[in-house]
Amino acid sequence: NVDIVEIDEESGLEAYQYARYSLIGSEKGDIDSFQWFKELNNQKYDYIIFADVLEHLRYPEEVIKKTYNLLKDDGSILISIPNITHNAILINLYNNSFHYTDTGILDETHIRFWGINDFSDMVGKLGYSITDIKPFYLESDNTEQAAFFPDTVKEIKLLFSNRPQGKVYQYFIKLNKKTLEIKEYDINSLL
């Protein structure tokens, strides 16, 4: 059984055919309004998926907190988030430049940002452990931010060349409740 919460009416109506319950549109599908929690709070899920969602929310921490009671004890939350500490962002910041774009890490609709350590701290306080991380790598020159690189980009890149996580464009993360007898994923062993 699949339940969906989708603010975009068109996407929601397309996915509706696959859902048991669907909360669609700006009223019911707005995750930040917590209507989903009121309507689905008697459900227990094997998986809750936030695919490129949390960075768009005003209250992502509260959203994750509320999922705790909706998730089965052995269930998982699957999340993807952009890496704000990618070298492409740092190159532009080093050059005193910060550019929102139509897509990518600094998508103009993103209102929350994390480095992996900050994200780990946040979910840890909410009773979750990161149990798996899959990084998606992208070289700085292949990002949407490369369009804003200064002429001195080669020299600036050298400053960040030893940052292994600086090439991680996006993280795919699995969370489980800390109550499970599982080995917590070591963030520092990512690379």
Side-chain angles (χ1 to χ4, degrees):
N1 293 321
V2 175
D3 298 335
I4 62 169
V5 179
E6 176 58 60
I7 196 167
D8 181 68
E9 191 102 18
E10 186 178 335
S11 298
L13 291 174
E14 187 176 327
Y16 172 80
Q17 62 185 320
Y18 304 104
R20 175 181 57 172
Y21 299 111
S22 56
L23 305 170
I24 301 170
S26 59
E27 186 178 320
K28 289 187 174 189
D30 181 0
I31 293 174
D32 274 327
S33 76
F34 298 99
Q35 185 67 35
W36 57 273
F37 186 73
K38 294 173 190 169
E39 296 202 24
L40 301 173
N41 70 358
N42 292 324
Q43 305 299 317
K44 290 287 185 183
Y45 295 97
D46 295 309
Y47 295 97
I48 297 174
I49 302 171
F50 293 104
D52 298 324
V53 171
L54 296 178
E55 62 272 16
H56 298 271
L57 302 179
R58 293 182 311 274
Y59 312 109
E61 189 169 339
E62 187 65 24
V63 168
I64 295 295
K65 182 178 179 180
K66 288 199 177 289
T67 62
Y68 197 88
N69 292 327
L70 297 176
L71 192 65
K72 291 181 180 178
D73 287 340
D74 61 347
S76 299
I77 298 180
L78 306 176
I79 297 172
S80 60
I81 58 168
N83 178 23
I84 193 63
T85 67
H86 189 280
N87 285 344
I89 303 299
L90 297 182
I91 289 168
N92 283 329
L93 286 173
Y94 187 82
N95 196 47
N96 300 311
S97 181
F98 188 89
H99 298 276
Y100 280 98
T101 52
D102 292 338
T103 60
I105 297 172
L106 292 179
D107 176 322
E108 61 193 359
T109 64
H110 292 180
I111 57 176
R112 294 286 184 245
F113 303 99
W114 298 274
I116 194 62
N117 293 336
D118 304 315
F119 189 82
S120 179
D121 290 345
M122 178 185 75
V123 298
K125 291 175 188 172
L126 300 173
Y128 289 103
S129 294
I130 293 178
T131 56
D132 198 10
I133 298 177
K134 302 284 189 243
F136 170 72
Y137 296 97
L138 192 61
E139 292 290 335
S140 297
D141 290 337
N142 296 328
T143 70
E144 66 288 343
Q145 291 294 312
F148 308 106
F149 285 172
D151 293 337
T152 57
V153 70
K154 189 174 182 179
E155 292 83 9
I156 298 171
K157 278 184 184 177
L158 284 173
L159 292 172
F160 304 118
S161 62
N162 290 327
R163 296 185 64 247
Q165 292 184 1
K167 294 180 181 181
V168 176
Y169 188 77
Q170 185 174 36
Y171 291 103
F172 299 93
I173 302 167
K174 181 180 177 184
L175 303 180
N176 290 96
K177 291 181 176 182
K178 284 186 176 181
T179 56
L180 281 182
E181 292 288 327
I182 52 179
K183 184 176 185 258
E184 186 170 341
Y185 197 87
D186 180 7
I187 298 294
N188 296 318
S189 70
L190 175 61
L191 301 174

